[in-house]
Amino acid sequence: EPEVTQTPSHQVTQMGQEVILRCVPISNHLYFYWYRQILGQKVEFLVSFYNNEISEKSEIFDDQFSVERPDGSNFTLKIRSTKLEDSAMYFCASSDAQVLGLFFGSGTQLSVL
Amino acid sequence: GEDVEQSLFLSVREGDSSVINCTYTDSSSTYLYWYKQEPGAGLQLLTYIFSNMDMKQDQRLTVLLNKKDKHLSLRIADTQTGDSAIYFCAEERTGFQKLVFGTGTRLLVSP
């Protein structure tokens, strides 16, 4: 069964460093998303991406965040200068028709020290 | 508002039915979803219901939607130990490409 894969599963970084979280969406999907879950809190929407551009983003997704689809298979989330409060589980997701049938990866646990 | 609320914890015995409840606030929601999260895994889509339906059944799962009260429930029949997980409800609002998730309900199934 096709699945969304995310790497790495765990990432530890120092405050102020840049991190890139990587995702390989399901191959025929056209819509891509990033969500995050701070420990003990809700899963929160960050950004949606379609046709090589951001289609919607949340208040959390400020100038420190960016997304890119550098080639036909990868979808990345970059955090330019990490803060302690960026520590969370980051989930990538993809779908072939808007949010209906959103498929999530198993997440990258980001720890900012 | 965007609050989607769930009770935090539910404990049942194997073989019993489980009912997980969710309340949402946005009446313009088009689809409502139930996701399952097992330890160390991502969010797995279990089922969804369109906002003009009031019930959907899928094998052991029954979703009930009360649009007037903005109340959604997930019933799992004959609950098994493998059903132990966190269950999230989520709503999709018209015109928005995002899901708003609830707080999650941790279901513990004991033998």
Side-chain angles (χ1 to χ4, degrees), chain A:
Chain A
E1 187 175 322
E3 60 180 18
V4 176
T5 56
Q6 290 186 243
T7 55
S9 57
H10 293 85
Q11 173 91 49
V12 180
T13 190
Q14 296 288 327
M15 193 170 57
Q17 295 295 305
E18 175 184 286
V19 293
I20 297 176
L21 309 183
R22 301 180 192 280
C23 170
V24 179
I26 294 173
S27 62
N28 61 340
H29 283 183
L30 301 175
Y31 299 84
F32 313 113
Y33 311 83
W34 285 99
Y35 285 75
R36 78 172 186 190
Q37 185 181 27
I38 296 172
L39 186 64
Q41 297 185 25
K42 294 185 180 185
V43 177
E44 302 171 294
F45 169 80
L46 292 178
V47 66
S48 58
F49 190 89
Y50 170 71
N51 200 26
N52 281 322
E53 61 184 23
I54 291 173
S55 43
E56 190 171 351
K57 60 183 181 179
S58 71
E59 291 173 354
I60 304 166
F61 195 88
D62 61 21
D63 292 344
Q64 294 298 314
F65 291 87
S66 62
V67 289
E68 194 178 28
R69 188 151 164 83
D71 53 44
S73 60
N74 290 284
F75 179 53
T76 61
L77 174 69
K78 183 194 289 187
I79 308 175
R80 246 177 288 281
S81 176
T82 50
K83 303 188 281 287
L84 295 176
E85 54 264 39
D86 294 328
S87 295
M89 178 73 88
Y90 287 79
F91 292 105
C92 173
S94 69
S95 69
D96 60 2
Q98 306 269 336
V99 292
L100 188 62
L102 210 60
F103 289 81
F104 283 84
S106 53
T108 294
Q109 180 66 55
L110 176 66
S111 298
V112 183
L113 305 178

Side-chain angles (χ1 to χ4, degrees), chain B residues 38-56:
Chain B
E38 295 181 85
L43 298 160
Q44 175 196 355
L45 177 63
L46 284 179
T47 187
Y48 64 90
I49 188 167
F50 189 47
S51 58
N52 69 352
M53 299 169 64
D54 51 21
M55 188 181 91
K56 180 178 179 182

Side-chain angles (χ1 to χ4, degrees), chain B residues 4 22 24 26 29-34 45 47-51 63 65 67 71-72 89-92:
Chain B
V4 179
C22 171
Y24 61 99
D26 199 309
S29 296
T30 50
Y31 287 94
L32 294 128
Y33 302 82
W34 284 102
L45 177 63
T47 187
Y48 64 90
I49 188 167
F50 189 47
S51 58
V63 179
L65 175 61
K67 204 171 177 184
H71 183 265
L72 180 73
C89 64
E91 61 172 347
E92 175 198 350

